[in-house]
Amino acid sequence: MRTETADALLRAVLPPWAVGAARADDVSGPLFAAERALCEGAGPRREGEFTTGRWCAHRALARLGVRPVAVGRGTRGEPLWPPGVLGSITHCPGFRAAALCRAGDAWALGIDAEVDAPLPARVRARLISTDEARRVRPEFAGERLLFSAKEAAYKACSALVGDGHAPPLAELRILVEPGGHEPGAGGRFRVRAPAVPGLTGLHERHFEGRWQRSHGLVLTSCVIVRPGTAVPTTRPRRVVGTPLGPQTRSACDSST
């Protein structure tokens, strides 16, 4: 898969005001010194995931109009973004990506990528409810879509309330809107989250979920928008050289 194709797949699940960068193959760098220190001692597979994830993050920052900076790692493994930036990193075999938006455009952003394959029975039984499963078509790997949507929603919730305080995946209910689930299809989904501190008062309309199935992958994104705030409909204006300050925590990916 070409980098342009990977970028297009990611763009298909992002709101028009968010940016991202993706690729199918790993790169060897470059990394900032602080980032390089984070993957010292890692095996080749993990180093490739980390380095390429940061490459995507740097490219996405530039597309957002922010000067690329070292993307650190929090205590639970989540990426640390510059002030005023929300973001998420994901990786699976054959795909790595980062997505970002301005903090003024949303409360949180999460993305996830999965290989489009049947969900293992033990995972399905633990994380997918009967009500969720009957709403999708399993012959089109609909349960993998549910799982990916839960992952993206969990990352967004974690960014808002803190990792460790977000609802477990099993308690996040995914409602896929009517439409085809076959390969090449895409659409939207809604999220029902339990009323935990930080999420109390948020309803389905505050979660904007999008999905795409293509090239053997399932991609999802979930954005949490502010109650009473209109969702922006245009892409961010590029402002090259935006000053940066100390890094702050945003959407998490505990494996990045």
Side-chain angles (χ1 to χ4, degrees), residues 9-197:
L9 291 177
L10 177 63
R11 196 160 53 244
V13 300
L14 294 181
W17 38 270
V19 300
R23 62 183 302 138
D25 58 331
D26 283 334
V27 296
S28 58
L31 292 176
F32 288 93
E35 295 171 325
R36 193 176 306 111
L38 294 175
C39 64
E40 287 183 357
R45 181 184 66 83
R46 177 65 190 127
E47 183 176 355
E49 292 174 346
F50 180 89
T51 302
T52 309
R54 263 39 184 193
W55 181 93
C56 292
H58 301 160
R59 193 170 187 180
L61 283 168
R63 289 175 175 176
L64 191 65
V66 176
R67 184 173 64 252
V69 65
V71 178
R73 184 170 60 200
T75 57
R76 293 179 178 269
E78 72 277 15
L80 304 178
W81 303 103
V85 174
L86 303 177
S88 183
I89 296 174
T90 189
H91 51 73
C92 73
F95 192 82
R96 287 82 165 90
L100 305 173
C101 70
R102 297 282 183 179
D105 291 339
W107 267 352
L109 166 65
I111 61 170
D112 183 68
E114 302 284 336
V115 173
D116 194 351
L119 204 60
R122 59 182 178 79
V123 177
R124 181 176 64 248
R126 184 165 55 91
L127 299 180
I128 308 298
S129 72
T130 301
D131 180 62
E132 287 174 315
R134 71 178 176 80
R135 294 172 181 267
V136 297
R137 299 173 64 180
E139 66 268 30
F140 291 140
E143 290 169 353
R144 179 67 66 169
L145 167 58
L146 291 174
F147 176 77
S148 182
K150 285 174 182 271
E151 287 280 358
Y154 179 84
K155 293 178 185 180
C157 289
S158 294
L160 189 57
V161 304
D163 196 17
H165 301 284
L169 293 182
E171 295 183 18
L172 293 169
R173 293 289 185 259
I174 304 300
L175 305 174
V176 179
E177 295 184 357
H181 299 160
E182 65 278 1
R188 302 196 179 212
F189 63 87
R190 293 171 289 149
V191 181
R192 288 179 181 169
V196 300

